[in-house]
């Protein structure tokens, strides 16, 4: 009887505070101790319905957020997941939220690095950063143009280096130092 009263108090307090997570096992235990209490059966039905609704919300959010991440729309993925109340997010949603935040942060960092390098006219190593950024978000027309420009510059530098090497070889053959 004391356990039943303890359970009733816990259930009442959690229900008032709208802490539904973990409430169903307490209600089930109370029903086992006192099956005749109809309020507990009604509450059990409500909680099962609530859990089913929350599961649907989580599944829909997971599908939408995954679709946004696959489409390289990291902010949209974050917004979809953050619309689900934190207490209703499962490990999958939490993990996906972390992934989306990390991808967004990485993209923002790469964008800053590119901007800083361009402002400082430091083109060495910039192509690799541009390619990383494009891998995270392909639809960046300005970076696609920058990549083409950097590839062209790199090709010209390699061509000039090859010409210089060839001239050096010719000089060596003739022993002209």
């Amino acid at each position: 009887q004391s356990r039943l009263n303890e359970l009733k108090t816990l259930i009442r307090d959690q229900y008032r505070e709208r802490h539904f997570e973990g409430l169903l096992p307490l209600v089930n235990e109370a029903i086992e101790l006192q099956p005749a209490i109809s309020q507990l059966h009604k509450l059990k039905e409500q909680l099962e319905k609530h859990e089913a609704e929350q599961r649907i919300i989580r599944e829909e959010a997971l599908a939408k957020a995954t679709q946004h991440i696959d489409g390289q729309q990291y902010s949209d993925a974050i917004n979809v997941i953050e619309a689900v109340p934190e207490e209703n997010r499962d490990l999958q949603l939490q993990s996906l939220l972390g992934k989306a935040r990390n991808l967004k942060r990485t993209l923002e960092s790469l964008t800053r690095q590119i901007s800083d390098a361009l402002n400082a006219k430091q083109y060495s190593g910039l192509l690799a950063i541009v390619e990383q950024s494009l891998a995270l978000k392909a639809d960046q027309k300005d970076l696609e143009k920058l990549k083409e420009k950097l590839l062209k510059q790199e090709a010209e530098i390699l061509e000039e280096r090859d010409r210089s090497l060839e001239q050096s070889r010719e000089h060596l053959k003739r022993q002209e130092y």
Side-chain angles (χ1 to χ4, degrees):
Q1 189 68 24
S2 66
R3 176 64 181 154
L4 181 60
N5 289 334
E6 181 185 333
L7 286 170
K8 285 180 182 178
T9 302
L10 279 170
I11 291 167
R12 187 176 23 258
D13 291 347
Q14 284 191 23
Y15 188 82
R16 282 185 186 145
E17 295 175 20
R18 309 209 40 86
H19 290 203
F20 300 123
E21 195 69 33
L23 193 53
L24 189 57
L26 297 176
V27 171
N28 285 332
E29 186 180 345
I31 288 172
E32 285 177 25
L33 294 173
Q34 187 76 44
I37 303 175
S38 64
Q39 288 176 321
L40 289 175
H41 291 282
K42 288 178 187 173
L43 180 57
K44 178 181 178 177
E45 286 178 30
Q46 288 175 344
L47 291 172
E48 287 172 341
K49 182 180 175 189
H50 176 76
E51 282 188 8
E53 290 168 352
Q54 292 308 310
R55 186 173 33 260
I56 290 168
I57 290 170
R58 282 192 301 271
E59 289 170 358
E60 288 175 354
L62 183 66
K64 285 180 186 174
T66 300
Q67 190 174 16
H68 285 306
I69 287 176
D70 291 345
Q72 299 177 327
Q73 302 296 323
Y74 310 119
S75 293
D76 292 342
I78 292 167
N79 292 337
V80 165
I81 296 170
E82 286 181 343
V84 176
E86 197 168 337
E87 63 273 8
N88 294 335
R89 295 180 204 155
D90 59 6
L91 285 174
Q92 240 182 335
L93 274 180
Q94 293 286 15
S95 174
L96 197 60
L97 179 60
K99 178 181 177 180
R101 285 178 174 161
N102 286 338
L103 289 166
K104 183 179 180 218
R105 254 192 311 272
T106 301
L107 185 60
E108 289 169 348
S109 173
L110 291 169
T111 301
R112 273 192 306 278
Q113 290 176 47
I114 292 167
S115 178
D116 292 348
L118 289 173
N119 289 335
K121 299 186 187 315
Q122 295 293 323
Y123 304 113
S124 177
L126 184 56
L127 181 59
I129 297 169
V130 168
E131 288 175 334
Q132 284 179 312
S133 183
L134 286 169
L136 288 177
K137 185 156 178 65
D139 187 24
Q140 299 182 80
K141 300 293 183 215
D142 55 336
L143 288 189
E144 289 172 15
K145 289 178 185 174
L146 178 59
K147 180 181 174 181
E148 288 175 26
K149 183 179 174 183
L150 292 170
L151 284 170
K152 185 178 175 185
Q153 284 178 346
E154 192 175 271
E156 289 170 359
I157 289 169
L158 289 174
E159 197 175 295
E160 179 60 34
R161 186 198 68 187
D162 289 346
R163 258 195 311 273
S164 293
L165 282 172
E166 190 55 39
Q167 287 175 351
S168 296
R169 284 188 192 116
E170 288 298 317
H171 288 298
L172 280 173
K173 281 182 183 176
R174 289 187 241 136
Q175 294 201 8
E176 297 173 5
Y177 297 95

